[in-house]
């Protein structure tokens, strides 16, 4: 994530990315647990107090992730990350979902050196800046860890 460029409205990218994060935190997509589900995972980040439960529904024959729902509370980064994840993985097969989880993890472990693969991560690349702060990596990773765990259980 470059701090030097500008967005389409002349806004510095850092500010634009911050606005996307805050929009997702204020109006999260996929919030509210739904039934039926194939599996559920509950994850807690004791460092920040983030708490998240995620449910996933997969099609047994095709392996497609049919739906994801979540609820929880925490900082803006964890809430935005869950919302961005929701937008990204619906109607993908497990391999495609796992590729996105791996790409997100790689971006978050980069300590700010990687912008993230926008083709795989879409708008979730706005969280790349959080990778510069060790405490924030856990916040951003929480829903992705929950999804990975739920898929293992499904």
């Amino acid at each position: 994530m470059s701090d030097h460029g500008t967005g389409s409205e002349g806004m510095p990218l850092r500010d634009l990315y911050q606005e996307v994060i805050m929009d997702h935190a204020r109006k999260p997509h996929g919030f509210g647990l739904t039934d039926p589900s194939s599996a559920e995972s509950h994850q807690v980040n004791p460092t920040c107090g983030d708490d998240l439960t995620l449910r996933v529904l997969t099609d047994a024959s095709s392996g497609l992730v049919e739906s994801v729902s979540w609820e929880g509370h925490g900082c803006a980064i964890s809430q935005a990350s869950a919302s961005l994840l929701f937008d990204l993985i619906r109607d993908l097969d497990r391999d495609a979902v796992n590729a996105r989880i791996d790409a997100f993890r790689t971006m978050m472990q980069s300590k700010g050196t990687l912008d993230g693969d926008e083709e795989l991560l879409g708008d979730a690349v706005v969280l790349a800046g959080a990778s510069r702060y060790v405490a924030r990596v856990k916040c951003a990773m929480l829903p992705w860890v929950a999804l990975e765990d739920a898929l293992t259980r499904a």
Side-chain angles (χ1 to χ4, degrees):
M1 172 170 70
S2 170
D3 296 332
H4 305 291
T6 58
S8 60
E9 300 169 1
M11 181 184 290
L13 282 178
R14 179 187 293 175
D15 294 344
L16 180 62
Y17 290 171
Q18 184 69 19
E19 188 61 33
V20 170
I21 292 168
M22 294 311 296
D23 283 348
H24 275 274
R26 283 190 290 261
K27 299 176 196 158
H29 304 173
F31 188 86
L33 295 175
T34 59
D35 286 316
S37 69
S38 304
E40 177 178 297
S41 177
H42 179 80
Q43 301 291 320
V44 176
N45 175 4
T47 306
C48 189
D50 301 327
D51 185 292
L52 183 127
T53 301
L54 181 140
R55 287 185 183 161
V56 63
L57 177 63
T58 57
D59 181 277
S61 60
S62 69
L64 286 179
V65 174
E66 293 181 345
S67 70
V68 173
S69 62
W70 65 277
E71 68 180 26
H73 62 275
C75 69
I77 292 172
S78 70
Q79 301 297 286
S81 186
S83 179
L84 289 158
L85 177 146
F86 170 83
D87 287 348
L88 187 62
I89 57 112
R90 287 177 298 167
D91 297 324
L92 296 178
D93 65 31
R94 284 178 182 242
D95 289 341
V97 170
N98 286 327
R100 281 153 180 80
I101 292 169
D102 291 343
F104 190 80
R105 180 175 283 120
T106 297
M107 179 181 77
M108 294 312 299
Q109 292 174 341
S110 77
K111 298 182 180 174
T113 62
L114 297 176
D115 291 340
D117 184 340
E118 194 168 347
E119 189 172 312
L120 282 178
L121 298 176
D123 287 346
V125 298
V126 301
L127 294 166
S131 70
R132 290 181 284 198
Y133 310 99
V134 175
R136 296 292 157 231
V137 169
K138 290 180 182 179
C139 302
M141 283 299 304
L142 192 70
W144 299 79
V145 169
L147 175 60
E148 191 171 46
D149 181 53
L151 286 173
T152 300
R153 296 169 186 252

